[in-house]
Amino acid sequence: MWSARADAAETAVRQRHLRRVWLLPGTVLGRSTWPADLGGRLHRHWNYWWQAHLLDCLVDAQLRDPRPERLVRIDRFVRSVRLRNRGGWTNDYYDDIAWLGLALQRVRSAGGRPVDEPIRVILARLREGWTPDAGGGIWWRRGDAFKNAPANGPAAIMHARAGERERAAELFRWMSETLVDPDTGLVLDGLRTDTGELVRAIYTYCQGVYLGTCLELSETGAAERTVRAVAGHCAPGGVLRGQGGGDGGLFAGILARYLAQAALTLSGPAASAARELVLTSARACWSTSLRGPGGPVFGADWSRPAPSLAVVDSDPARGLSVQVGSWMLLEAAARLTEAA
């Protein structure tokens, strides 16, 4: 059932959002909105990190149900990222490039084109981002004074998967000592090193990337604590909390990805809780979706019915991020049920 639903989400994203870049043959990226305006049709809106998660979902689907035509699409997608990014693999945001690096590492596992060069380039840039300021960690952005979980979490996971476990462990310790709230176990957003201000905003994807880091480094106690914190504070009624459109449309999906990994890696109550969070959220996501051109249209908040697209032209559900975040959740549910 969940595999079929993940397939439906993939089909919907493919039909509504995936298009050639500048009409060039052999290219494909995701349009930021649907229906696309002129800027969208020309891929003027360059949401680099949204594309990284779209690539990750294509890899999810390929690992779940290998198809030659999808592997061709993945290869074209990778080439198109570099083309649209003006011939390079990086930008000024360390979190963005870490997300692309994680997706590229998984492209290899799906049998895609060689991606050693971009992985090498991204890892080198991430190493440059680490400084001893405020006890360690990497910056959110080049030339900035902010260090946060969204940058350090995916960077730590990428370093760990590349065999650079010492650097990954350094990033894990910095997050644990600086950003984990001792009262709730939740991961705070970040630290402004110039003022010493601790930004205490709670985002679902901060919990996800910290949880992913714990799992890569076999930090079982910290992983179990994070699952409990998420269940207690980030999932009213057992459904992961939505955080709007735009970038927020991806946040809960990212958390769902690492909760599924936790359910398959941990044991006991934490594994059961992680599994239930993913499956309860997936049931809510599916049941509140609309039938649209090409397949389901998912809302930005899985606990509420998606609004009619015929009425609300600017609804977040028209954004690529919301649809990819929901697709990511359904792939997580499929992974769990197929492993059972």
Side-chain angles (χ1 to χ4, degrees), residues 137-220:
I138 69 170
W139 301 109
W140 170 52
R141 178 176 58 183
R142 297 177 91 186
D144 204 49
F146 190 46
K147 293 187 173 183
N148 62 1
N152 282 270
I157 297 169
M158 186 177 184
H159 281 302
R161 292 179 181 175
E164 300 177 4
R165 295 182 67 83
E166 184 176 345
R167 173 51 52 87
E170 289 177 351
L171 300 180
F172 167 74
R173 285 193 296 271
W174 182 82
M175 287 188 289
S176 299
E177 295 169 2
T178 309
L179 300 182
V180 175
D181 178 49
D183 295 325
T184 64
L186 293 172
V187 182
L188 309 180
D189 185 36
L191 175 70
R192 302 192 188 280
T193 62
D194 51 349
T195 65
E197 177 193 359
L198 189 61
V199 180
R200 304 187 66 84
I202 301 298
Y203 298 116
T204 45
Y205 83 139
C206 291
Q207 319 313 309
V209 297
Y210 180 75
L211 176 59
T213 302
C214 296
L215 296 170
E216 289 296 329
L217 296 173
S218 300
E219 295 285 351
T220 303

Side-chain angles (χ1 to χ4, degrees), residues 68-132:
E69 66 273 17
R70 189 190 293 113
L71 195 57
V72 170
R73 188 173 300 119
I74 288 170
D75 290 346
R76 290 177 173 177
F77 197 100
V78 172
R79 291 197 301 270
S80 300
V81 166
R82 187 176 191 178
L83 173 68
R84 179 58 186 81
N85 203 47
R86 301 180 180 179
W89 294 108
T90 62
N91 66 16
D92 286 339
Y93 290 82
Y94 291 105
D95 54 344
D96 286 12
I97 65 173
W99 286 125
L100 180 61
L102 288 173
L104 290 170
Q105 285 176 319
R106 298 183 69 235
V107 165
R108 288 194 297 203
S109 64
R113 63 178 300 195
V115 288
D116 290 348
E117 179 203 352
I119 290 174
R120 178 186 58 77
V121 169
I122 290 171
L123 282 169
R125 176 65 66 84
L126 291 176
R127 292 186 204 106
E128 293 173 4
W130 186 93
T131 73

Side-chain angles (χ1 to χ4, degrees), residues 251-264:
F251 289 4
I254 291 168
L255 175 54
R257 175 183 295 282
Y258 293 108
L259 283 169
Q261 185 179 343
L264 295 171

Side-chain angles (χ1 to χ4, degrees), residues 184 186 220-234 269-270 273 277:
T184 64
L186 293 172
T220 303
E224 292 176 344
R225 180 193 63 213
T226 305
V227 171
R228 290 194 299 270
V230 167
H233 300 279
C234 299
L277 284 165

